[in-house]
Amino acid sequence: MSTTHRDDAFLAQLQQHKAILYKVANAYCSRREDRGDLIQEILIELWRAWPRFERGGAFAGWMQRIAINVAISFFRGESRRIRDALPIEDFGMDLAAADRVLDAEGDDLRALHQLIARLDDVNRALILLYLEGYSQDETAAMLGLSATNVATRIQRIKQKLQRDYAAAEDTP
Amino acid sequence: MNPLDLDQLKGKWSAQSRELDAQLTLDLDAVRRLQTARTRSALGWHRGGLLLQLLAGAAGIGVLALFALRHGGEWPYLLAALPLLGLLIVHFIVDARQWLAVKRIDYSAPVAQLRATLDTLLQRRLRLVRGVIYVSPLIWWLMVMVTLKGLWNIDLLDWMHPSVLPISALAGVGVIVIIELSSRAIARRFPDAPALRRFLDDLAGPTFQRASEHVESQLRFEREISEHGAQRALHARAQQLSEPLETARAGLQRRVSLGLWLASVLILCTGGFNALHGGDASALPPGVLLHVSAIVWLILSVRHRIALGSPSPDGGDVHRWGEHLRSAVRARRVVMQSYVVASPLLVVALVQVLSLAFAAIDLWQSLGLAVWLGLGAIVAIAITLLFLRWRERRDAFATSAVDALSLATLERSNRLADAAISADGEVPRARDAA
């Protein structure tokens, strides 16, 4: 495959799964401008890692893994900022439109987002992958944990989310 | 109160994802433009650096050509200037070709093609740097000669013994052989050693160094993912030295740099002494012994200094960094211990050199053979006893003396390496967090 075709293949795959960018950024950044920066950072890491992507592999899973890895590094403030990057608007990604989708979500989804924001970085990644529908084995492979550990952690997160939700409901 | 049912929310989550997909549009060309802008910016800096080098190179060629013209009648200086001129011209041509190649880069080309072009440029640059390193041991005397003559009209040939140039040329050939053999051995034994890679990148220049460090960081990240899973890779990526360790590292780096300067001064002084006493059989052996000892000291200090470099620009594997530092410290300690073992001989050599240099007294002649034989026996016995003690105590041998010889950097570096390695173990893993 020529390099141009490879680049086009990357962009085509990216186009199909672009919501992952926003979802991960939204889970890890509360401020809109940070989300834009994080999306840029993820895009660049994806582009760099693309030559090592195994053809025939699942792009969404690969993208999700890298996006979460970048987000965690970014979240900890240890990733270098891109000084000479283009503004996020230049990607044509209207984050305000995406924000409106979130604004229109139901109470339960909003509560879920708020509760996810309180989890630590690894648990946040776990719950994101769970909600995206990845199996325990796939999640385990992505995060370098055992499947049993993933199951235990998800169970604990579910309980924690329910406890926190109940506490929030009880608070007048 | 409705409990939060994650399984039920999965459906809503997917529906929201679909809606987000519909709302978000991605301008794919903008992604390309982003990459291009970053690459163009990085290469712009590189091209600026190359332009400065070209200007400096052109000035150097002009000055040397002028020197060759003005000293055309003095054949030793003409012969000394010509190889230097040739080297500068080759350097200039390579720089100019590289500048043109960077200028001609087609930023609309596929990224992989751009990457291949940069790799080719890097290889070309490394070949040039390697060539300069290989030639340096042969031409450094010529450079000193020409510089002194050109700037201050000092005729070094009048001061130097005739044997100095052939001996240093022979020593240069020996150094080239040693560099070649050791670099092959290192490349064979540690083909992917990051420290070796960093060293080569240092040689290639800061702009390439930055690019290469980033690529290295990416490769390490991907390698960690494939070998140990994402969790380990995440931690490896996020690790940095803690603030106290970073402060200690920076302090040690300054101290080792000071040692580098001292070693360089010692090399220059002993080199000058050897140049002035080239034909003197009672001066040259102690002078050469001290000179070689200073060079080995310098080489080990350079390695120590490289090992004390920051783990990586955006957080690297601190554990591996600690191990590299420990390995550099171990090598330096062994050499410093051998200096302590050889100290009786080195002290005698130093006394002879200082007597000749500052008091013009040749102790070899003034003390006589009998005294020297007695002294030689004492030195041999002392060295043997020290050697046996070294074999017995190994790492614990002469720790204070060894540390003092390294300007108190060895023990501190060892503690820093231990702290870095143990700190890595304390990084919370997913299992611990659970």
Side-chain angles (χ1 to χ4, degrees), chain A residues 77-101:
Chain A
E78 285 155 356
S79 175
R80 95 209 109 60
R81 295 292 177 124
I82 307 160
R83 292 190 181 84
D84 52 357
L86 299 176
I88 191 69
E89 285 73 18
D90 283 9
F91 289 118
M93 288 187 84
D94 185 2
L95 292 187
D99 290 341
R100 281 195 294 277
V101 174

Side-chain angles (χ1 to χ4, degrees), chain B residues 152-307:
Chain B
W152 297 288
N153 204 26
I154 296 173
D155 205 336
L156 201 60
L157 287 175
D158 288 350
W159 294 69
M160 267 191 328
H161 191 273
S163 64
V164 171
L165 279 180
I167 287 176
S168 66
L170 276 175
V173 172
V175 169
I176 290 170
V177 172
I178 290 169
I179 291 175
E180 175 64 23
L181 291 178
S182 53
S183 62
R184 280 189 189 182
I186 291 169
R188 208 169 32 241
R189 195 167 166 199
F190 311 105
D192 298 319
L196 180 67
R197 181 78 209 171
R198 272 205 297 273
F199 181 62
L200 288 174
D201 293 338
D202 277 342
L203 297 178
T207 44
F208 268 130
Q209 188 190 1
R210 272 197 292 277
S212 180
E213 274 173 349
H214 194 78
V215 171
E216 178 61 30
S217 156
Q218 289 296 311
L219 286 173
R220 192 173 53 239
F221 181 53
E222 289 299 321
R223 212 163 36 232
E224 286 286 348
I225 287 176
S226 62
E227 287 173 8
H228 305 291
Q231 189 61 31
R232 169 79 180 267
L234 282 175
H235 286 298
R237 185 180 161 80
Q239 285 166 29
Q240 277 179 326
L241 288 179
S242 63
E243 203 178 329
L245 294 189
E246 178 56 32
T247 310
R249 184 198 69 77
L252 274 171
Q253 211 175 26
R254 282 194 295 274
R255 206 177 265 252
V256 174
S257 299
L258 177 68
L260 279 174
W261 281 104
L262 288 178
S264 306
V265 169
L266 199 58
I267 288 169
L268 281 177
C269 291
T270 49
F273 175 86
N274 293 340
L276 295 174
H277 297 82
D280 190 348
S282 61
L284 206 54
V288 169
L289 177 66
L290 293 177
H291 193 62
V292 171
S293 304
I295 290 173
V296 175
W297 185 14
L298 181 80
I299 292 170
L300 270 297
S301 301
V302 169
R303 191 184 166 199
H304 193 174
R305 173 72 176 67
I306 291 172

Side-chain angles (χ1 to χ4, degrees), chain A residues 76, chain B residues 220 224 228 231-242 245 311 315-323 326 415-430 432:
Chain A
R76 289 177 177 169
Chain B
R220 192 173 53 239
E224 286 286 348
H228 305 291
Q231 189 61 31
R232 169 79 180 267
L234 282 175
H235 286 298
R237 185 180 161 80
Q239 285 166 29
Q240 277 179 326
L241 288 179
S242 63
L245 294 189
D317 188 339
V318 172
H319 187 279
R320 201 175 296 170
W321 178 84
E323 283 176 347
R326 198 184 263 174
R415 282 200 296 274
L416 177 63
D418 288 346
I421 290 167
S422 63
D424 179 55
E426 286 168 13
V427 170
R429 302 285 166 92
D432 305 331

Side-chain angles (χ1 to χ4, degrees), chain A residues 8 91 105 108 130 142 153, chain B residues 7 12 16 27 32 230 430:
Chain A
D8 288 343
F91 289 118
E105 69 191 1
D108 44 3
Y130 173 80
M142 276 192 213
R153 276 167 163 265
Chain B
D7 293 322
K12 289 188 180 179
Q16 193 179 54
D27 181 354
R32 283 201 174 102

